[in-house]
Amino acid sequence: MSTQQKHDENLAGLGPLAGLTGIWEGTGGTDFSPGMPDHMQTDVERNYRERWEFSLIDPPVANHHQKLRQLVCDTYAWRGKECLAGKKGGEPFHAQRGYWIGDAESKQLPNSFAVPRGIVINAGGTADADTTTFSLLADAGSEIFGICQNPFLIDSFKVVRYVLNLKLNGDGSFDDEQDTQLQIKGRGFMHHTDANHLVRQF
């Protein structure tokens, strides 16, 4: 088997993730963040643009008898305009790095990523190879698809559940919705949601 054939086989083994390789950008993101009680009050506060970069790891990763296909994913987000919460227009406010994994045998789609705020999320779900819409989730305290976070976050902004919904549109775009569910000290349970429509650039 040639190098190209091995590459194509590796890519196909990603199942529904196969179409994500490349660079994607979205300029119409909407961020509903708890922020501070007197912040995030206008549409200007909520608008952002982002960039997702997916790179294939070749060859597949052997995890004992598992053959895992993996994409490295770097995500960046910027405020679209200056906002009352202190971010200037064009200033980055979020970044993360992680791995999207395809396990063809179990049909599992783990998504492990770290955010430089002292939190690591290992979300997951299952999907058939031809699926175009899927959901991944992680719960605090779970040994399978769980959440690990630093003491400050546990005390003040504990993430209790993370849900990601992704829809592959088949036209060089995808829709992303994320719901980070928080237990905030002194304020109770709140949802921090993000949604965007991203278009392939390369």
Side-chain angles (χ1 to χ4, degrees):
M1 184 181 293
S2 69
T3 300
Q4 184 61 49
Q5 287 175 320
K6 290 179 180 179
H7 173 84
D8 292 343
E9 183 184 72
N10 186 18
L11 191 62
L14 282 164
L17 304 180
L20 288 176
T21 56
I23 297 175
W24 306 75
E25 292 184 355
T27 58
T30 304
D31 171 27
F32 289 91
S33 169
M36 297 294 288
D38 58 342
H39 290 165
M40 314 307 286
Q41 296 176 348
T42 70
D43 289 340
V44 171
E45 298 287 308
R46 300 171 180 145
N47 295 336
Y48 69 95
R49 63 182 179 89
E50 65 182 327
R51 180 182 178 97
W52 292 33
E53 301 176 357
F54 290 95
S55 302
L56 178 68
I57 295 178
D58 219 350
V61 174
N63 188 27
H64 197 57
H65 69 277
Q66 285 185 309
K67 183 179 284 188
L68 303 178
R69 274 76 176 195
Q70 301 193 28
L71 297 173
V72 178
C73 180
D74 290 311
T75 304
Y76 310 93
W78 300 264
R79 289 287 175 212
K81 301 178 181 178
E82 187 167 356
C83 69
L84 298 175
K87 298 295 183 183
K88 298 178 180 179
E91 183 176 355
F93 72 97
H94 180 82
Q96 65 186 51
R97 163 164 276 203
Y99 299 89
W100 291 61
I101 303 170
D103 181 357
E105 183 176 349
S106 69
K107 300 182 180 180
Q108 290 186 352
L109 300 176
N111 175 24
S112 305
F113 63 92
V115 179
R117 299 173 183 267
I119 183 168
V120 177
I121 293 178
N122 185 32
T126 59
D128 293 327
D130 59 353
T131 296
T132 57
T133 302
F134 55 87
S135 298
L136 309 179
L137 65 87
D139 287 303
S142 176
E143 294 184 349
I144 301 175
F145 300 135
I147 301 167
C148 184
Q149 47 205 311
N150 71 37
F152 170 76
L153 293 177
I154 290 288
D155 179 65
S156 301
F157 295 93
K158 182 179 180 180
V159 178
V160 296
R161 170 167 277 205
Y162 169 81
V163 181
L164 180 146
N165 297 311
L166 193 140
K167 179 184 178 184
L168 303 168
N169 298 316
D171 61 355
S173 72
F174 71 82
D175 293 299
D176 157 63
E177 296 179 352
Q178 299 180 58
D179 181 9
T180 304
Q181 300 173 20
L182 302 161
Q183 191 67 37
I184 301 179
K185 187 174 183 179
R187 298 174 62 191
F189 179 81
M190 304 188 92
H191 292 268
H192 176 178
T193 63
D194 302 278
N196 208 349
H197 176 76
L198 292 102
V199 177
R200 180 189 293 280
Q201 305 299 306
F202 304 101

